[in-house]
Structures are given as structure tokens and as C-alpha cells.
Amino acid sequence: MGKPRIIILIRHAQSEGNKNREIHQTVPDHRVKLTPEGWKQAEAAGRKLRTLLRPDDTLQFFTSPYRRTRETTEGILNALTSSNPAPSPFPRHTIKVYEEPRLREQDFGNFQPGSQEMARMWKERAEYGHFFYRIPNGESAADAYDRVSGFNDTLWRSFGEDDFASVCVLVTHGLMTRVFLMKWYHFSVEYFEDLRNIDHCEFVVMKRSKENQKYILQNELRTWSALRKERAEIKEPESPIPVRKRWAGYQDGNDEESRRRRARRQNTREMFEDDLESTEQRKTREESEKSQRTRTSSLTQSLNGRYDSAAARPEAFQQNIPAMAKLPPYSLSIPEGGRDGGGSRSGAPSRCGSDASDGPTMPPVRNSMAMALHGDLGGGISPNRARADALGDQSDVDDDHNA
């Protein structure tokens, strides 16, 4: 026969571990059995499979060696080969069934720890990444990918046998189904981690194309990103018309009164006033504000006129200066024989006497600033020039004194 026309992956039915996770603390994972509801799911899957097959189809099963997958396979076969309601075209002895350890569930360690520790581990795995996170004493999804890769190679080689079945059924686990598809269709790690688990006894069908002989996935796989988007749309539906913010008591912001009031606001105080004031109150307030602005403008013009008049008649302005402001100039008395007489030559060597001098003591000499302030202008220098030089604008005035 060669390559099968369809490949069907089926996740096991509901197990006791799915109903009560704490059972893994006392029962090994490979010994967990189906619940009564799980048996019903397995038999329903058998009846569904029967509707998908042709009368001339042959079947070959590969099942994980775990108890829950073997019991699921048994329930499928019971319904598939049953004579109720009509004789089955698929006798039990014509169906090949193989246990394949490489299809077993990801190893989560031996006996699993308590629920608190498992919750911490699941949270850590979510943060680290489902594909590469290795369970303590167990394996990662990447480890499971390696053994599934080996099985896929074996399966592909068996397709070359002439007596291979026309329908291949793999009864395995949820994560192993996703890993199998990842290997077959070359999914990325990111897409694998975005995939959600399939339901119990859900069929994932791969159908061979007649044109290129490749297997086309018939299912639309569910992803976490699509679920988040769907929940966000239900919680916050998008509106084609955005809702405008409420301002000045109007919702749509298109009212003429609303626009006029927004344009009128000038300061922070008005932003916090009652928006619901009556028209009469608003009119009275606006007239009061206008009157106050008029008075302020008149006062400003009056003051400006007085300042302009004073600038045009400085003698009149001087008459208004209080008597305290008309004080005589302050006279500065500077000691004559100091170490440093000041002026623009402050800090220069003085010719005054010093205790540290070993030479003869010279008579005290007054510098140019002291001479000018005392009226001793000397040398026929004009009083204005001498006073300016004494206050720091010296040129050659003191050359004759420094000789």
C-alpha cells in the first residue's frame, strides 16, 4: 500500500490524574488509569473514527505504553469493531496495534511533590519557557522532541513497506501531539509554546495530498495568543466611533455653547467654577469682570500720563523730591600716612615708613587720590581731570609725583 492516506493523532481520554492532580504523589504516572467518563470518551472516539473510514481501509495503531493511552486504545477498538448497531467492516484481527515507548508522555519526574511545589514549578516553567525547561528528575519538551524525531524517522521508513495500512492512528498525549506536529511541520519554538493543548480524544488529522503526496493538516490549531485576543475583544469591544471625553457638561463636544465656553476660559480659577451656572449669573459675572478691566485700564493710563509729564519737566519732578533726599554729598576722609593710600595703584610699594625697613625713613607722601580729595590738585591739573584720575582712571597724572 505504501504511504497511508491519512494519519490521525488522538489524545488519551480523561484520566484520574486529569481529575485529581494529587494522585501523582502516590501513583506512578505510567499507571494512572481512565475515569468512567474517560471510558465513555474513548468509545465515542471509536464511533467517530468508524465514520471517517472507508470500508476498504486498513488500520495500524501506535500507542504510548502508559495505562491511560492503552485503555483509550482499547475503548476505541471496542466501538470500532462492535457489531452494534451494524456489523463492523473492521474485524479486530485485521487491525495492527503496536506499543511505542517513544510516544510516552513527557517525564515529570518520579512521584510528583506536593501541590505547592508543583505550582511553583509550573510558574517557573512558564517564565523559563515550556520547550527548554527541564523538570527536576524528569525531562524537557526538547528531550521529548529528540525521541519523537527518532520515531518519525522510523515511521517514515515504514511507509515504504507494501503492506503498510491506509490509515495510521497514533494514540498518545497532549504535549507529545504538539511535539510530533512541531517535528513534522518544522514549527518554531515560539509557535510551539503558543499552542494550546488539545482536548481529550480530540482528532488531529493529517491528510495526504494527491498532487504532491505531502500531508496537509486539517485542523486549525488553537493558540494562547488568539485566546487572549478573543477575551480582550469580549471584555473591551472596539467601537467604530471613539467616545469623546466629557467637557463642560457635554458628551459629544459639538455643542456651540460648549465651544464658546472653552474659548472664554482664561485662568485656572475659571476651570474649577461650576459649569452648570445659569445664563443670568454668567451674564452678571461677565459684566462685572468687564467693568473691573475698564477701571484697571483707566488707572494705568492716568499713571502713564503722570510719568510722561515728569519726564518732560524734570524741574517740576525735582520739586516733588522729599527734603531727606536733598542731602549734601558724603565727604570721605582718608588717612594720609597709611601703608596703602588706595586709588588705582592700590597694592603698589608705598614710600611710607615701615617697621621692617632697614633704610632711612622717608617723610610721608600723600598719593594722588588723597591730594585730589583735599583740593591739592598740583601741577596745574584741572580739578575734574585730577579727581577722575584719583578715582581710578589714571594716565600720566602721577608721573611727577612718582619721580
Side-chain angles (χ1 to χ4, degrees):
M1 182 64 183
K3 296 173 66 174
R5 67 179 186 89
I6 55 174
I7 301 174
I8 303 176
L9 293 92
I10 304 177
R11 183 190 176 190
H12 63 81
Q14 184 191 66
S15 68
E16 292 181 340
N18 298 128
K19 194 173 182 180
N20 179 18
R21 292 183 179 275
E22 294 184 358
I23 197 173
H24 294 289
Q25 300 177 24
T26 56
V27 178
D29 193 21
H30 62 277
R31 294 180 183 174
V32 175
K33 60 184 179 180
L34 294 183
T35 63
E37 178 63 25
W39 278 102
K40 295 179 181 179
Q41 293 174 352
E43 293 174 357
R47 291 189 291 269
K48 178 180 178 180
L49 179 60
R50 185 169 176 173
T51 62
L52 298 177
L53 300 178
R54 300 171 182 172
D56 59 342
D57 275 330
T58 57
L59 292 96
Q60 184 163 327
F61 279 73
F62 292 93
T63 179
S64 162
Y66 279 34
R67 180 173 179 175
R68 55 184 177 272
T69 50
R70 288 189 287 114
E71 289 181 349
T72 301
T73 303
E74 188 65 26
I76 293 174
L77 292 175
N78 290 340
L80 180 63
T81 60
S82 174
S83 298
N84 186 19
S88 174
F90 310 104
R92 182 67 177 264
H93 67 275
T94 63
I95 301 174
K96 298 179 181 179
V97 180
Y98 297 94
E99 285 190 7
E100 178 52 67
R102 288 175 291 184
L103 292 179
R104 71 185 185 275
E105 176 65 293
Q106 177 185 0
D107 193 348
F108 291 99
N110 299 320
F111 292 107
Q112 294 183 9
S115 56
Q116 200 170 27
E117 175 61 19
M118 288 301 297
R120 184 204 64 79
M121 189 169 64
W122 296 145
K123 181 179 179 182
E124 185 178 62
R125 184 178 71 160
E127 295 174 352
Y128 190 88
H130 285 225
F131 187 74
F132 293 108
Y133 182 81
R134 179 172 283 109
I135 306 295
N137 299 320
E139 60 181 354
S140 64
D143 298 328
Y145 179 91
D146 293 339
R147 52 183 167 87
V148 166
S149 299
F151 170 75
N152 283 15
D153 294 339
T154 302
L155 184 64
W156 187 262
R157 288 193 299 268
S158 64
F159 288 167
E161 301 174 1
D162 295 336
D163 59 345
F164 196 85
S166 62
V167 177
C168 179
V169 182
L170 310 179
V171 183
T172 180
H173 307 265
L175 182 135
M176 298 308 298
T177 300
R178 288 174 282 154
V179 170
F180 181 92
L181 296 174
M182 179 184 182
K183 169 60 179 176
W184 193 281
Y185 292 107
H186 306 286
F187 292 162
S188 66
V189 173
E190 290 77 15
Y191 184 65
F192 167 81
E193 294 186 339
D194 192 32
L195 289 175
R196 295 171 58 191
N197 207 357
I198 63 175
D199 295 331
H200 295 293
C201 286
E202 180 179 352
F203 285 27
V204 177
V205 181
M206 303 162 58
K207 189 174 182 180
R208 188 185 67 190
S209 172
K210 295 181 179 180
E211 288 76 15
N212 55 18
Q213 300 298 307
K214 292 184 178 180
Y215 288 90
I216 309 302
L217 186 63
Q218 305 298 305
N219 300 64
E220 183 177 353
L221 301 179
R222 298 183 296 272
T223 61
W224 292 109
S225 57
L227 178 63
R228 286 191 294 268
K229 183 178 179 180
E230 181 180 334
R231 289 177 176 175
E233 291 176 352
I234 296 175
K235 185 177 181 180
E236 298 180 2
E238 295 184 2
S239 175
I241 302 177
V243 179
R244 310 184 80 174
K245 292 184 178 180
R246 186 179 295 274
W247 181 266
Y250 299 96
Q251 177 69 29
D252 56 5
N254 295 324
D255 190 274
E256 181 179 356
E257 176 67 12
S258 176
R259 291 196 300 272
R260 190 187 68 79
R261 297 186 66 187
R262 286 199 296 272
R264 181 185 56 76
R265 289 181 172 171
Q266 301 293 333
N267 51 47
T268 305
R269 177 180 62 81
E270 292 184 349
M271 294 178 63
F272 293 95
E273 287 183 348
D274 184 11
D275 290 330
L276 301 178
E277 61 181 348
S278 64
T279 304
E280 187 66 26
Q281 291 174 337
R282 183 168 58 256
K283 184 176 180 181
T284 302
R285 177 171 53 78
E286 290 176 352
E287 291 178 354
S288 176
E289 292 176 352
K290 182 178 180 180
S291 175
Q292 183 177 0
R293 287 195 297 269
T294 302
R295 290 196 300 270
T296 303
S297 177
S298 300
L299 179 60
T300 302
Q301 293 177 0
S302 176
L303 292 176
N304 290 339
R306 293 182 182 181
Y307 292 152
D308 294 341
S309 176
R313 301 173 56 197
E315 63 280 1
F317 182 75
Q318 290 289 338
Q319 294 177 1
N320 296 327
I321 298 178
M324 291 293 295
K326 300 180 180 180
L327 296 176
Y330 180 75
S331 60
L332 176 64
S333 177
I334 300 178
E336 298 182 0
R339 175 84 175 171
D340 190 351
S344 61
R345 291 183 178 274
S346 177
S350 174
R351 289 181 287 182
C352 299
S354 173
D355 296 338
S357 302
D358 295 333
T361 302
M362 298 183 65
V365 179
R366 292 184 298 173
N367 63 9
S368 59
M369 181 177 180
M371 294 170 63
L373 294 177
H374 283 272
D376 186 4
L377 304 177
I381 306 300
S382 64
N384 291 337
R385 173 68 183 278
R387 186 177 298 274
D389 289 339
L391 293 176
D393 189 19
Q394 294 197 48
S395 56
D396 58 349
V397 177
D398 290 333
D399 290 343
D400 54 341
H401 298 287
N402 294 334

